[in-house]
Amino acid sequence: MKIIRAEKMGFCAGVRHAVKTADSALEENKNGQVYSFGPLIHNPLALKTFENRGLKILDEEKISCVKKEDTVVIRAHGVPPEIKEELEKTGAKVLDGTCPIVQANQKKCADFAKNGWIIFFTGDANHGEVIGIEGAARRGAEDAGKKLDFVLVKSVEEAVFEYKKLFSENVPENCVLISQTTFSVKLFDEIAAVLKEKIPELKVLRTICPATYDRQDSLTDLCKKVDGVLVIGGKNSANTNRLYGKAKSLCNHAALIEKADEIPEKFFSLEKVGLTAGASTPDDVIDEVEKTLTKSF
């Protein structure tokens, strides 16, 4: 069997930043509890490792339990401004592990909302990143005394539906299209093209993280070289699931696994197996999958 890894795979810079922030907090805080607000990243194995080291996950309902000697790490996906402020009021040390690209998106949306723009946003409802960005936009609108128009869409059909619902006659010029950092590049471009036809003055900002499309492009190249692809990552991870969807469309055999003991039996009989991994997948998990495949020979 030949194992071929995608050129771009595994931890992205934003995830490494969050993990490094949590690592430092656990090393430095010996007197209080270390929390992450929400799951630090979307990978169960990585979260279990942190849990074993003492990291606890904090939710909004339990913020009042945080003590001054504690440390709270804000997850890679970010949080709305009001959550960060509530955490700071506890007196605990608050460390921001938000991905820098997500932070930039929060600022962009807040600025557009302050100026009364209609924001079309491609993303997944209830995803932590989207909740944080919409929260930043809401704060921006509130600060300027403006009504927030934040239109969340995840398909061409939804974009057309929301357009018709918003505009019966005149279409304002101040409309912008922005994206969740892990959204599908292909789908974003399709939505942008449709909305641009209807809103000629639409400002299009492809705010998808380079790591997302690098991994998607690398997967496309990988599928040309192998008989099957294993996508390694959390089953609750948006970018991992998008990689899996693409792998299924391009390769005869594709599977999404979180760890080595989930490798389907079929893959042990293939001549060439490709490996890719979501942006929250630790290197040692990828190494273990490769080791397990090669052990069978």
Side-chain angles (χ1 to χ4, degrees):
M1 177 189 290
K2 184 175 182 180
I3 310 293
I4 305 174
R5 293 192 182 203
E7 186 177 344
K8 300 286 185 180
M9 61 188 290
F11 272 2
C12 64
V15 167
R16 288 193 190 278
H17 169 64
V19 167
K20 186 176 179 181
T21 303
D23 275 334
S24 298
L26 288 165
E27 288 296 324
E28 294 169 10
N29 189 331
K30 302 300 182 183
N31 299 318
Q33 176 62 51
V34 180
Y35 297 98
S36 71
F37 186 85
L40 185 69
I41 58 175
H42 280 163
N43 185 277
L45 295 183
L47 293 180
K48 186 65 178 174
T49 299
F50 274 115
E51 180 187 337
N52 292 340
R53 292 176 60 193
L55 185 73
K56 290 186 178 179
I57 295 175
L58 180 70
D59 58 33
E60 190 172 352
E61 290 72 29
K62 297 290 179 65
I63 291 177
S64 59
C65 299
V66 176
K67 299 179 176 64
K68 287 185 179 180
E69 61 269 24
D70 295 337
T71 299
V72 182
V73 179
I74 292 175
R75 62 191 172 191
H77 304 101
V79 295
E82 62 270 19
I83 293 294
K84 188 173 184 180
E85 290 163 2
E86 195 175 345
L87 290 169
E88 288 170 343
K89 284 176 186 175
T90 65
K93 187 175 184 180
V94 178
L95 301 176
D96 199 343
T98 307
C99 166
I101 297 175
V102 173
Q103 286 180 326
N105 263 6
Q106 289 178 343
K107 186 178 186 308
K108 284 186 180 80
C109 285
D111 289 343
F112 279 117
K114 279 179 188 175
N115 290 297
W117 283 58
I118 295 167
I119 301 168
F120 286 89
F121 194 90
T122 58
D124 302 306
N126 301 318
H127 189 284
E129 179 188 330
V130 178
I131 292 168
I133 290 172
E134 185 173 5
R138 185 178 300 105
R139 174 61 61 84
E142 287 171 356
D143 288 348
K146 300 282 178 67
K147 172 181 173 287
L148 176 64
D149 285 307
F150 188 91
V151 186
L152 183 62
V153 298
K154 61 179 180 181
S155 68
V156 169
E157 293 74 20
E158 281 187 12
V160 172
F161 175 80
E162 294 294 342
Y163 166 83
K164 289 178 178 176
K165 191 166 74 171
L166 276 171
F167 312 120
S168 55
E169 294 180 6
N170 297 327
V171 180
E173 293 182 0
N174 58 337
C175 295
V176 62
L177 176 65
I178 303 182
S179 181
Q180 181 179 331
T181 59
T182 56
F183 200 70
S184 162
V185 176
K186 180 175 181 290
L187 185 50
F188 177 83
D189 289 343
E190 290 171 358
I191 291 170
V194 168
L195 285 178
K196 191 77 173 172
E197 280 182 10
K198 299 179 179 301
I199 311 171
E201 300 300 319
L202 178 72
K203 187 178 184 71
V204 177
L205 300 179
R206 195 208 253 186
T207 53
I208 298 169
C209 173
T212 297
Y213 49 79
D214 284 348
R215 280 153 182 72
Q216 292 175 7
D217 289 346
S218 291
L219 175 59
T220 300
D221 292 338
L222 179 67
C223 288
K224 298 171 185 174
K225 306 171 185 174
V226 297
D227 304 309
V229 172
L230 289 172
V231 181
I232 311 161
K235 291 172 184 174
N236 63 336
S237 162
N239 75 86
T240 302
N241 275 286
R242 289 199 175 93
L243 285 173
Y244 177 46
K246 187 161 195 168
K248 284 195 296 184
S249 70
L250 295 175
C251 208
N252 289 332
H253 303 287
L256 171 58
I257 62 171
E258 290 186 349
K259 50 188 178 177
D261 62 13
E262 296 176 0
I263 300 171
E265 192 62 35
K266 174 67 182 176
F267 280 80
F268 292 98
S269 62
L270 299 178
E271 289 186 14
K272 296 178 182 177
V273 175
L275 300 182
T276 188
S280 298
T281 307
D283 296 340
D284 60 337
V285 176
I286 301 168
D287 293 341
E288 186 60 29
V289 169
E290 180 167 351
K291 185 179 175 183
T292 300
L293 282 168
T294 53
K295 261 185 188 176
S296 60
F297 288 88

